[in-house]
Amino acid sequence: EAGVAQSPRYKIIEKRQSVAFWCNPISGHATLYWYQQILGQGPKLLIQFQNNGVVDDSQLPKDRFSAERLKGVDSTLKIQPAKLEDSAVYLCASSLIGGEEKLFFGSGTQLSVL
Amino acid sequence: DQQVKQNSPSLSVQEGRISILNCDYTNSMFDYFLWYKKYPAEGPTFLISISSIKDKNEDGRFTVFLNKSAKHLSLHIVPSQPGDSAVYFCAAITPEIIFGKGTRLHILP
């Protein structure tokens, strides 16, 4: 069974530039999450989708971050414009509905904002 | 303010001995807890969970203990193996999953 796919693995940009991350969840997983993990911290939820609807985006900085999951499968997270404090690993995870305690994570995208 | 706290950033344990990783939480309404394990350059992987109706859950070498009155849980790994060297995250389902900062476990040969 293929795992959660994310790309790119690494991205280096300058502040005020824009960046996008892509995620393809495990087939059949209706719930998709984007987490931000800053160095030395635990993952923090940014947004949760169920199919193509948003379940929770309360911690998403909506002035600069956006995410979509148009067809209920893969998803894109965008930052525009990026700030220095956005440097982090962006993790995508998926789960079955009702299986939210067992998230399957991708390897993440490491973003460095200079 | 951290709702799930892992106060030990790192822990070193001799191979074959017991590893004990600790976690505290602040909200007595939390009723489901998880442990995730993370290797470098990989995403976290689910390890074990416990519901507040239990005080212990065991899966092979891994056992999680929950002390509701102390708002404390711990993960025991017995015996510790080299492949257990990783970062361990404690988490609570609130219903959102809130993770602690993690504890880096080093298993020494």
Side-chain angles (χ1 to χ4, degrees), chain A:
Chain A
E1 178 184 86
V4 176
Q6 287 190 249
S7 65
R9 286 300 307 271
Y10 305 93
K11 191 73 178 179
I12 301 174
I13 61 172
E14 296 192 348
K15 59 183 179 184
R16 291 187 289 271
Q17 286 187 321
S18 62
V19 65
F21 313 124
W22 174 82
C23 172
N24 192 289
I26 291 173
S27 176
H29 282 193
T31 310
L32 184 147
Y33 312 77
W34 284 102
Y35 281 84
Q36 179 192 58
Q37 186 179 9
I38 292 172
L39 189 64
Q41 305 285 323
K44 183 184 89 169
L45 180 68
L46 293 176
I47 188 167
Q48 177 183 344
F49 292 95
Q50 186 164 302
N51 296 308
N52 60 351
V54 175
V55 173
D56 183 355
D57 64 355
S58 57
Q59 297 191 88
L60 186 73
K62 298 180 187 66
D63 57 334
R64 298 184 301 105
F65 286 65
S66 64
E68 60 184 16
R69 193 184 184 200
L70 292 175
K71 295 181 180 179
V73 181
D74 57 349
S75 176
T76 303
L77 176 70
K78 296 179 182 176
I79 308 175
Q80 182 178 10
K83 294 186 175 182
L84 297 177
E85 59 260 36
D86 298 332
S87 294
V89 175
Y90 291 84
L91 293 161
C92 179
S94 69
S95 72
L96 295 167
I97 294 176
E100 286 82 10
E101 78 280 4
K102 193 170 183 179
L103 303 186
F104 292 82
F105 283 87
S107 298
T109 296
Q110 183 157 348
L111 174 67
S112 297
V113 182
L114 306 178

Side-chain angles (χ1 to χ4, degrees), chain B residues 49-93:
Chain B
S49 63
I50 190 166
S51 162
S52 61
I53 62 172
K54 294 184 173 182
D55 54 17
K56 176 182 172 181
N57 188 27
E58 194 171 350
D59 183 1
R61 297 186 298 115
F62 302 91
T63 303
V64 56
F65 295 92
L66 176 61
N67 182 332
K68 290 184 286 294
S69 60
K71 295 200 284 268
H72 176 85
L73 60 157
S74 60
L75 175 68
H76 293 213
I77 306 173
V78 183
S80 299
Q81 298 176 354
D84 298 330
S85 293
V87 177
Y88 290 79
F89 291 101
C90 172
I93 296 184

